[in-house]
Amino acid sequence: MAGFAYSRGPYESWHAWAFGLALATSILLWRIYVQRAGRILGEAVMKARHPAAIGRSAADTHLVMVVGLSATAIGYELLIDHPVERFPAAWLALVLGGPALFLAGRSRFEYEVFSRVSPSRWIAILVLVAAAVPLRYLPGLAAAAVAVLALGAVAVADARRARGAPPEPAAPPF
């Protein structure tokens, strides 16, 4: 969506910044998803006491993540078209709430695979929600920058936890 929105023009610096933040958000969302749990769902299903339960739960969890991704895409399309305008609450909910919803779904997914949730995900969700109030008075680019910083912190926390450690095996709660 960001690429389509940016390709329509105009090509001013603020629009380029908005596109850059959209691209960074997309990369970070992908990175957060594939961090270990995203790669071993099959192993978790095989280890589960009730494979059908984890399969149904994972499908619902993925739906939540897709809704979060869709909201984020719509929010960034609006951002690219109106980068320096103050965002209405509904637009702000897309730019901040989309990543928060994705992180909530990803947290549930992590629980389904490992029986735990990394604190960085919940902290990032709280930051995104708490930032909504002061960001109502700033341009949309500020909201996108906060989203990138929150997602970047989660990606860094994931990488630090995994660095030098053997791959964590699946340990589903079902």
Side-chain angles (χ1 to χ4, degrees), residues 26-133:
S26 298
I27 292 167
L28 288 167
L29 290 169
W30 171 81
R31 177 67 176 103
I32 291 166
Y33 177 77
V34 299
Q35 179 66 29
R36 192 72 180 133
R39 292 183 295 192
I40 65 167
L41 176 60
E43 179 185 332
V45 170
M46 296 298 289
K47 286 185 170 183
R49 292 183 308 272
H50 306 287
I54 193 172
R56 279 190 305 274
S57 183
D60 293 343
T61 298
H62 277 83
L63 180 60
V64 171
M65 288 188 281
V66 167
V67 170
L69 291 172
S70 299
T72 304
I74 294 166
Y76 277 102
E77 182 176 12
L78 293 167
L79 175 71
I80 290 168
D81 289 340
H82 311 278
V84 292
E85 293 177 24
R86 230 174 84 194
F87 265 26
W91 294 11
L92 197 58
L94 293 169
V95 171
L96 296 175
L101 189 57
F102 173 84
L103 286 173
R106 182 57 174 78
S107 297
R108 172 69 185 176
F109 186 55
E110 184 177 18
Y111 176 75
E112 292 164 349
V113 174
F114 297 121
S115 298
R116 63 155 172 81
V117 176
S118 300
S120 63
R121 285 168 174 62
W122 293 111
I123 292 168
I125 291 169
L126 291 173
V127 166
L128 290 167
V129 171
V133 174

